[in-house]
Amino acid sequence: MGLIENPKTYTGRDLETIFFRPMFSGASAEELGIRVLYNMPVPTTIQLWSPRSNILQKYSSGWTGGSASERMQKTIEMSKVKAEVAFSAQNYFQQVYELIVGRADVSLDDLTGTELEQAETEMFRKAIAENLRVLMWMGDKQAPVYSNIDGFLTLAYRYYDETEFPCVDFSETTLSSSTILGIFRDMWDAASPELKALKPEGHLAFYVTSDICNAYEEYLDSCGSDGAYTDLVSGRRELSYHGIKIVDMGISHHMPLHCNGSSTHCILTDSRNLALAVNTADMPGSEVRMWYNPDEMENRQRATFLVGAEILDENLLVLSTF
């Protein structure tokens, strides 16, 4: 087990290319279902431009362009976070060894330090990615847990209290397979014309808790068609309503720890309207470190970086209350 005790530290360029960037690019970023901003300059400021409508004018000499395009600026508040994990030496080796055994291209008689390092890195990276996913939805600085940042749900409820935007009250509705279509329909009807106009671009989504997904699947199972029977047997890889994706936030098992008053949530918005920002370049001391502590006989892992979440335009969002 000597190789697994070698300390490893990622900083600077290695921190970006080896550890964090694989989490926030390609298929990994798509799995989050939102807009990911990585290593944008701090303070992270997003410029949103709104081109003028009706720009076609009658042809004539001179400038008839009129006023400039409207610009909206949104700054994402970044917070310092730290992830720390400790394993007993025996358990740690068993977990890392299991990752290596599952690879067909590895010779178990000749394990190199690089292969062990890749397994260690992948295990820690997955733990951070999962915690970031939960934090970006459920984060609440006033809560006893997940209090690093304010997540999308917390921001949505706060912005609704400050500036009213479309919100549908389902507190008198019992969630079931017979009412789920009405919930989706009412939220779509309440959407602003600007949000509805984005539907052809294919980025609209209902972000829901698992109980809403379950109710919708029960409705689809009861449709009584050949397609419904096939889906009942084989399962559904993806849910959608009138071409709008239904994305399970995957936070229902964390809800008892959250103090937002309800365990059922649903928001309708454009995926590009929800931004998760991660920065490892502008925080002094940003690093990922893995080492063995001989005193406690533990393998330890630590990561420090900046993270923040923001709803870029609350008017492009429909909130539901249950």
Side-chain angles (χ1 to χ4, degrees):
M1 201 169 65
L3 286 174
I4 214 169
E5 297 176 3
N6 293 336
K8 288 170 284 295
T9 302
Y10 301 108
T11 59
R13 188 67 176 172
D14 289 342
L15 181 63
E16 175 182 349
T17 58
I18 297 176
F19 197 88
F20 276 97
R21 186 165 290 280
M23 284 195 290
F24 304 118
S25 61
S28 297
E30 293 174 1
E31 289 174 2
L32 292 174
I34 61 161
R35 183 176 184 177
V36 179
L37 306 174
Y38 182 64
N39 271 359
M40 296 283 286
V42 174
T44 303
T45 303
I46 307 299
Q47 310 289 342
L48 303 175
W49 293 91
S50 176
R52 288 185 58 210
S53 60
N54 192 26
I55 63 173
L56 296 177
Q57 307 288 329
K58 289 184 178 180
Y59 179 79
S60 62
S61 60
W63 173 258
T64 58
S67 59
S69 298
E70 296 180 1
R71 184 191 70 169
M72 185 183 75
Q73 179 173 295
K74 203 70 175 279
T75 299
I76 302 178
E77 182 181 350
M78 305 291 286
S79 300
K80 297 178 181 179
V81 295
K82 177 176 69 171
E84 291 182 330
V85 181
F87 300 88
S88 69
Q90 180 180 359
N91 293 338
Y92 189 72
F93 181 77
Q94 288 175 347
Q95 290 191 49
V96 173
Y97 191 77
E98 182 180 353
L99 292 176
I100 298 173
V101 170
R103 290 173 48 192
D105 60 334
V106 173
S107 172
L108 299 181
D109 296 328
D110 183 24
L111 292 178
T112 66
T114 300
E115 288 163 349
L116 288 170
E117 182 176 345
Q118 289 175 348
E120 288 182 285
T121 302
E122 183 63 20
M123 184 172 65
F124 193 31
R125 186 162 51 203
K126 285 182 177 180
I128 292 177
E130 171 62 15
N131 199 249
L132 278 176
R133 186 189 62 78
V134 176
L135 188 64
M136 74 181 185
W137 288 112
M138 293 181 51
D140 185 350
K141 292 183 177 180
Q142 306 302 319
V145 292
Y146 301 114
S147 56
N148 308 81
I149 64 172
D150 286 332
F152 299 132
L153 290 175
T154 301
L155 292 170
Y157 284 103
R158 179 199 301 164
Y159 291 156
Y160 178 71
D161 292 336
E162 296 174 354
T163 57
E164 292 189 4
F165 56 87
C167 180
V168 185
D169 183 8
F170 296 115
S171 58
E172 303 297 326
T173 302
T174 301
L175 179 62
S176 67
S177 59
S178 60
T179 61
I180 187 63
L181 282 189
I183 291 174
F184 290 149
R185 187 184 306 114
D186 290 349
M187 292 188 68
W188 174 252
D189 291 341
S192 65
E194 293 80 8
L195 180 59
K196 290 181 177 179
L198 295 175
K199 182 179 179 181
E201 298 182 20
H203 294 283
L204 295 193
F206 288 97
Y207 294 96
V208 303
T209 46
S210 298
D211 52 351
I212 292 181
C213 279
N214 294 337
Y216 189 50
E217 286 206 277
E218 287 179 9
Y219 165 77
L220 295 177
D221 291 342
S222 65
C223 288
S225 63
D226 292 341
Y229 176 78
T230 302
D231 289 340
L232 178 63
V233 174
S234 304
R236 302 174 180 87
R237 296 185 59 185
E238 195 174 85
L239 295 175
S240 62
Y241 169 77
H242 286 185
I244 302 174
K245 289 184 180 180
I246 299 174
V247 180
D248 190 343
M249 293 182 282
I251 58 175
S252 295
H253 56 295
H254 297 281
M255 279 301 174
L257 303 175
H258 195 53
C259 55
N260 215 357
S262 175
S263 60
T264 300
H265 298 278
C266 178
I267 59 177
L268 169 62
T269 189
D270 190 295
S271 62
R272 298 166 295 185
N273 194 34
L274 305 177
L276 173 69
V278 176
N279 190 292
T280 61
D282 296 325
M283 173 184 166
S286 291
E287 67 174 5
V288 171
R289 184 185 298 271
M290 305 178 193
W291 75 99
Y292 177 71
N293 185 327
D295 295 335
E296 301 293 335
M297 296 184 67
E298 288 181 340
N299 283 84
R300 296 181 174 181
Q301 301 171 320
R302 175 188 293 144
T304 55
F305 53 97
L306 293 170
V307 65
E310 187 58 84
I311 298 173
L312 302 181
D313 188 351
E314 57 269 22
N315 294 314
L316 296 179
L317 182 144
V318 181
L319 178 65
S320 63
T321 56
F322 289 87

